[in-house]
Amino acid sequence: FTRSYDEADIKAVFSHHGVPYATADRFMEAMRAVEAPSLPEALAGALETTLSFAPLTDTTSRPIMLVGPPGAGKTICAAKLTADALLHEKSVQLITTDTVKAGGIAQLDHFAQLMRQTVKTADTPDELAAVVQRAPTANALTLIDTPGTNPFDIQELESLLHFIRRVDAEPVLVMPAGLDTEDAQEMAYIFSRMGCRRFIVTRLDAARRYAGILAAARPGYLALAALSRSPYVAEGLETAAPDVIARLISALPKARDKDLKFGER
């Protein structure tokens, strides 16, 4: 076959996204070992061997607790996961521990009402345990929304850990796209110490550089589970896979998009 790309194309992609040199070299080495005619296919092959992927499924028996920094999109993800479960005719128990922030409950309740669901609240780990035990059915999917947690505030982390341990929940990190690689990697490491094994990346529509995703999904940190490309519940989560990430990363903005100035149309 004939390759439709060369190393200059690969370097342009990694340069645009701000991938550190050492990391870019590892990806390029993996890409050289892949026999693929196009850049996205070569990148997908490399990502499959260098990153960790663990899609969310509807067969989990543990409650799923969405955790992460403020404003990452945990509530939207909870609504999207609820919609997907209902679409597959699965019973859902929707809970929030975000009872302090103004509008925290109201936002999730608004989404829930649109799906004819109710939101239960829990202020303490013991209250959460009591609510979880009242699941509508034995195989109901329990989704727990949480307030934003500053990954660099030990008190907030300890408080979150009490909730996680009290109900043996699986914490899933919700992390926005566009983070600096070192921030993303450090955040992934901290939440992995909290028990997270995978993460959902959000706000893909509001970012143009995705090196942070690559940093967080490297072995030893977290596995990439799903993507959120919009703030609309109807546009649900997309299962993360090497080919999906490869297409996302290799589709560089057009020159017109990069040069557009305020006031231009």
Side-chain angles (χ1 to χ4, degrees), residues 208 252-261:
R208 291 294 179 268
L252 297 181
K254 297 178 182 178
R256 172 64 180 168
D257 295 334
K258 293 189 292 183
D259 296 338
L260 190 63
K261 296 182 175 59

Side-chain angles (χ1 to χ4, degrees), residues 7-192:
E7 289 209 355
D9 297 317
I10 301 173
K11 290 179 179 179
V13 168
F14 290 144
S15 175
H16 166 76
H17 290 288
V19 179
Y21 291 118
T23 303
D25 284 343
R26 282 194 290 271
F27 281 121
M28 290 184 69
E29 183 177 350
M31 291 178 72
R32 293 188 189 104
V34 177
E35 294 187 357
S38 70
L39 178 56
E41 290 174 296
L43 184 54
L47 294 178
E48 188 171 9
T49 61
T50 54
L51 300 187
S52 298
F53 295 87
L56 291 168
T57 68
D58 57 1
T59 58
T60 181
S61 59
R62 297 171 66 193
I64 291 179
M65 182 178 289
L66 300 177
V67 302
K74 295 179 292 298
T75 299
I76 293 293
C77 285
K80 289 185 176 187
L81 287 169
T82 299
D84 181 71
L86 294 175
L87 186 64
H88 290 86
E89 299 182 345
K90 187 173 182 65
S91 179
V92 180
Q93 179 175 222
L94 195 53
I95 307 169
T96 182
T97 62
D98 189 6
T99 59
V100 176
K101 183 184 69 179
I105 298 175
Q107 184 186 23
L108 186 58
D109 190 54
H110 170 71
F111 293 134
Q113 288 183 24
L114 294 176
M115 295 180 281
R116 299 181 181 179
Q117 300 293 304
T118 58
V119 178
K120 300 173 183 177
T121 61
D123 287 312
T124 67
D126 286 341
E127 286 183 14
L128 179 60
V131 173
V132 168
Q133 290 175 358
R134 296 195 295 268
T137 63
N139 64 342
L141 173 64
T142 297
L143 295 171
I144 305 169
D145 188 22
T146 65
T149 300
N150 182 347
F152 309 111
D153 186 314
I154 189 64
Q155 290 184 331
E156 291 188 18
L157 291 172
E158 288 178 346
S159 175
L160 176 62
L161 193 58
H162 288 315
F163 280 93
I164 294 171
R165 289 177 171 173
R166 186 65 180 83
V167 295
D168 187 29
E170 180 196 352
V172 176
L173 173 62
V174 178
M175 188 179 77
L179 293 179
D180 171 84
T181 53
E182 293 190 9
D183 283 345
Q185 190 167 290
E186 189 168 0
M187 185 181 298
Y189 172 74
I190 290 171
F191 278 100
S192 71

Side-chain angles (χ1 to χ4, degrees), residues 176-219:
L179 293 179
D180 171 84
T181 53
E182 293 190 9
D183 283 345
Q185 190 167 290
E186 189 168 0
M187 185 181 298
Y189 172 74
I190 290 171
F191 278 100
S192 71
R193 298 293 299 272
M194 299 285 290
C196 291
R197 293 295 175 265
R198 46 190 175 173
F199 74 106
I200 301 169
V201 60
T202 60
R203 298 196 170 189
L204 287 168
D205 57 324
R208 291 294 179 268
R209 289 166 179 80
Y210 305 127
I213 300 174
L214 304 181
R218 288 174 57 192

